[in-house]
Amino acid sequence: MSKMGATRDGYGEALLQLASNPKVVVLEADLGKSTKSLHFRKAHPERTVSCGIGEQNMLLVGAGLAASGFIPFASTFAIFTERAFEQMRNGVARPNLAVHVCGSHGGTHTGTDGSSAQSIEDLAIYRTLPNVTVLHPSDTVSTRELTIQLAASSCPSYMRTARNKTPVLYEGREDEIKIGKGIKLREGTDVAIIACGVMVSQSLKAAEILAEEGIHATVVDMHTLKPLDSELINELVASCGALVTAEDHNIIGGLGGAVAEHLVSNTLAPLERIGVNDRFGESGQADEMLEVMKISTPYIAAAAKRAMARKS
Amino acid sequence: MEELEELARRCRVHIVNMVYKAQAGHPGGSLSEIDLLAALYKTQLRVRPNEPQWEDRDRFVLSKGHASPGMYAILAEMGFITVEDLDSYRVLGGICQGHVDMKWCPGVDFSAGSLGMGLSFGMGSAIAGRLENSARQVYVMLGDGEIQEGSVWEAAMAAAHHELGNLNVILDRNRIQNDDFCETQMRMFDIPAKWRSFGWNVKEINGHDMSEIVDGLNFLGTSNDGPSILIAHTVKGNGISYMADNPAFHGAAPNDEQYQQAMLELGEVSA
Ligand SMILES: Cc1ncc(C[n+]2csc(CCOP(=O)(O)OP(=O)(O)O)c2C)c(N)n1
């Protein structure tokens, strides 16, 4: 687990690999150096469209390209995709045009840029749009694989990537990664921790702490928030009987919200949600932010015990 | 003039110190705007450093909120905050957040960081001033990359429609944005003609020549028949040789050696 990488780099690698398909085009809004679409731009300037600092225009240019048979990948910071939310809703999702939007620098883990750059609501808002696939991978390898799979999808998508490095988890395990299928990274029957993005490695560490206390946790990387892997959640309810969700996102509407929505309409089970407690972020180092937001490893471990205590 | 130039030099030192200590942040657009900010605060703005919320103050909106080191530097020199506060730039709990924030830092009138929002906010502030029969002026600093945002032009059109003579823009025309030169990212063709055609008073100056800057600011303060814009031709990273006109220093900090060189060039240390 020592190798580290930033998921935005996985996105950049995937675009380069996808370049052999002449229908793949890349759209930028003056953040290609940050989202990592710059590698594609360097290799294929003729298929890269600079939209300047104009996110709203970018998304609908993508819609026009998709309607003409192209496969557009558009990226900017997660937060700035949100400026084009209504374009995404009415011009992309409603006509079901396969524009693939990547929002990098998601979450408070983004760090010292501060609250204006730390999107904590992207997963929630995109999840409310019909037709849109919503992804938030945890490492560079899964980001690369999921991005490559998106190119074959006929639906629009939103994928959040992160600015800072996290452990690489899936080297040599590429075939386990499928849109819509959560991945069990560790198995136990006391409690299940369902996480996404940078919180997956935090959750694995929490499981280690719990194991030292004799508590055996399952850890799931739920890289796809929509469509949600409801089969897997049912299985976790049956095998563990208590759940925790962990995300670097507002506690409202994200992964915790998605799992809660599923549970209330199926089998109820105790659920504790770890996430940003309905507040904006601030400037701080990535690791400091997880502490300030109370979403780091010890908080996940404590939530696991609370969920277990609520089992009937 | 010499006093203003010395003020701007000290601000440049603060800017370099901040991004060096934080090893992050935006020196390029801070150094291009700083001569304008120094002159604006010293010669034009009616503000009270010891009463930052004074209702009838002129408003200043740094719409390109990433260029916060420049703003923190002048706020410290004016006495809104202390020079020690500058050490809190990008530090957890510090008042000098990565992007200027009105909830965190005295003297900051708008929480920016998302480009293309400040002119609309400035328009609201200008209408408020008019409704209250106040003589206060509103100044909004925009980046040239920033004016690629469509929302800027919604505000530009609306401000002229409402004949907001108390609304003023200073455009930091440094020809560079995030990834590269504007010319590569998005050509903007005739910028003065665009603003004129939107109904604005337009004046162009050299944004590093103090006497031209002072003249230009007087133009903003006196042309009150409609909104006015001062297009200041600047150099991104101005004042530090290796940062000047170099897109790499939009959002990158100097290393140890580069820091020493910057202090030498700014006359803080002698060779
Ligand atoms: C809406 C939005 N999109 C993208 C960004 C990311 N970004 C930060 S600074 C910048 C370039 C700004 O260029 P310019 O306005 O010319 O500023 P300056 O050169 O004066 O620093 C970009 C794209 C942002 N802050 N807001």
Side-chain angles (χ1 to χ4, degrees), chain A residues 28-34 37-38 41 50-57 77 79-80 83 111-117 163 279 281-285 288-289 292, chain B residues 22 24-26 90-94 96-99 101 104 112-117 145-151 154 177-180 184-186 247-248 250:
Chain A
E28 294 189 328
D30 197 33
L31 281 171
K33 277 200 250 175
S34 305
S37 62
L38 85 161
R41 184 211 313 156
S50 168
C51 297
I53 309 175
E55 298 81 9
Q56 301 178 62
N57 186 46
F77 284 7
I79 195 83
F80 305 131
R83 184 193 213 86
T112 67
D113 273 345
S115 61
S116 69
R163 175 186 192 276
R279 57 158 289 189
E282 59 187 277
S283 290
Q285 300 297 329
E288 286 177 334
M289 288 317 297
V292 173
Chain B
H26 297 88
R90 288 183 174 252
V91 172
L92 187 65
C96 295
Q97 293 283 300
H99 293 76
D101 195 310
W104 284 82
S114 180
L115 297 169
M117 296 197 173
E146 177 177 23
I147 65 169
Q148 293 161 9
E149 284 287 359
S151 54
E154 293 179 17
Q177 45 194 92
N178 183 72
D179 278 354
D180 209 335
T184 313
Q185 293 302 100
M186 182 58 61
H250 165 74

Side-chain angles (χ1 to χ4, degrees), chain A residues 116, chain B residues 61-66 99-102 108 110-114 118:
Chain A
S116 69
Chain B
V61 176
L62 183 69
S63 188
K64 40 171 242 173
H66 58 280
H99 293 76
V100 289
D101 195 310
M102 65 196 286
V108 173
F110 179 55
S111 298
S114 180

Side-chain angles (χ1 to χ4, degrees), chain A residues 148-172:
Chain A
I148 289 169
Q149 289 173 29
L150 282 175
S153 161
S154 56
C155 298
S157 68
Y158 173 77
M159 178 168 74
R160 183 209 270 195
T161 59
R163 175 186 192 276
N164 294 313
K165 290 182 178 174
T166 48
V168 176
L169 303 170
Y170 295 107
E171 213 152 52

